[in-house]
Amino acid sequence: MSEPVSFLGGRVAEGAVTVRDAGLQGMITLRGDLAATKVKNVVKKVTGQAIPAQRKALVEGRRGALWMSPDELLLLVPYAEAEEAVATITKALRGVHHLAVNVSDARAYVTVEGAGAAEVMAKNAPVDFSAAAFGAGDFRRSRVGQVAAAFWKDEAGAFHVVSFRSVGDYVFDLLRVSAEAGPVGALS
Amino acid sequence: MLTLQCPYCGVDAEETELTAGGEAHLKRETVGASDDDFEGYLFMRENPKGLHFERWRHSYGCGKWFLAARDTNTLEVFGTYPAQSKEPPKDLRDKISAKRPGWSWREFK
């Protein structure tokens, strides 16, 4: 069997703010009634997390649950477990109206880390990235430059950006160039 | 720039995150409708200078449609509400009445 590789192939742009390919990540789109007990239970079972509140991300390592919309979550699991996790969800939600799809290979996944990471993000997305408005665990779906993207901030202040694979090159290069240009000081 | 609050995600989304979807509260005329009613449904739109009700989609965000009441002249936004609403909610209508006494828009007032 061929070896799976992430779309960005481990690319890294080092600097004051480092932009790096976050590597292979299992991602599952789950749509359904997020208030349903069966949905809550299976999300807990697969990711170890509860259902995140509106615009929140609950992530621990390679596992997590991200709030995409009132009826949609993006579940993170280790890459190798994605298929199995979808099977688990499908089995657990038999008879419950839902949709669960493994979208791991449809995504590019980038990490932006360093002291000025918020500024690099703020250059490209119409979102208030001041620490008071966008803290650790906050999640947003918006655009980065010209394309749709979802991102959240972790405890260390790094941003995790998920986009479609087809625009992964664009997202990586956009963030890399934004990081190279250096800080503006708008958020400090 | 126009900023609307998405009633589903609660974010103040700015114009570039949104897609405009034309007039709100259109009643679909279908099989059995008279020619006049069907023509009205297809072609007749409000084009006010002032209060207007519109459909918007949070296309770069949650992807949901919602409805908004705003002034096309001053760009003042009165409020947004879910797309499943058959009419503007009472509190929104009261808010508009406070600022635009005697307003009317199609069958609403």
Side-chain angles (χ1 to χ4, degrees), chain A residues 54-55 71 126 140 142-143, chain B residues 8-9 11 14 16-17 64:
Chain A
Q54 187 185 52
R55 280 181 289 122
D71 58 358
R140 258 303 286 271
S142 182
R143 61 180 179 88
Chain B
Y8 299 100
C9 345
V11 299
E14 58 119 305
T16 61
E17 269 189 49
K64 305 283 183 205

Side-chain angles (χ1 to χ4, degrees), chain A residues 114-134:
Chain A
E119 263 195 27
V120 171
M121 294 300 295
K123 284 177 187 176
N124 298 303
V127 175
D128 183 355
F129 283 103
S130 61
F134 201 92

Side-chain angles (χ1 to χ4, degrees), chain B residues 3 6 17 72 105 109:
Chain B
T3 306
C6 172
E17 269 189 49
T72 57
W105 186 89
K109 53 184 182 252

Side-chain angles (χ1 to χ4, degrees), chain A residues 51-68:
Chain A
I51 303 284
Q54 187 185 52
R55 280 181 289 122
K56 291 289 175 190
L58 297 170
V59 183
E60 188 121 12
R62 289 278 175 191
R63 284 181 199 277
L66 314 172
W67 190 92
M68 299 291 271

Side-chain angles (χ1 to χ4, degrees), chain B residues 17-92:
Chain B
E17 269 189 49
L18 304 168
T19 306
E23 190 176 318
H25 300 297
L26 288 179
K27 180 177 173 286
R28 184 164 183 233
E29 300 293 344
T30 176
V31 182
S34 71
D35 284 355
D36 281 351
D37 286 348
F38 191 68
E39 184 198 16
Y41 158 64
L42 274 187
F43 301 115
M44 299 309 180
R45 295 291 181 270
E46 295 294 303
N47 186 21
K49 180 181 180 185
L51 177 69
H52 198 26
F53 291 85
E54 293 172 320
R55 300 166 75 220
W56 285 87
R57 180 171 180 251
H58 194 195
S59 47
Y60 278 100
C62 59
K64 305 283 183 205
W65 285 97
F66 62 91
L67 306 178
R70 70 180 183 104
D71 190 309
T72 57
N73 192 25
T74 62
L75 294 188
E76 178 180 4
V77 176
F78 298 106
T80 55
Y81 51 104
Q84 287 74 21
S85 317
K86 291 239 166 71
E87 57 179 35
K90 179 82 169 71
D91 58 335
L92 179 63

Side-chain angles (χ1 to χ4, degrees), chain A residues 58-111:
Chain A
L58 297 170
V59 183
E60 188 121 12
R62 289 278 175 191
R63 284 181 199 277
L66 314 172
W67 190 92
M68 299 291 271
S69 80
D71 58 358
E72 181 177 346
L73 295 179
L74 186 65
L75 305 180
L76 304 180
V77 294
Y79 184 83
E81 293 176 26
E83 278 302 326
E84 195 188 315
V86 170
T88 308
I89 294 167
T90 307
K91 196 172 160 207
L93 297 184
R94 188 164 293 155
V96 179
H97 185 61
H98 79 287
L99 170 93
V101 184
N102 177 5
V103 293
S104 313
D105 295 317
R107 298 283 185 267
Y109 184 30
V110 177
T111 309

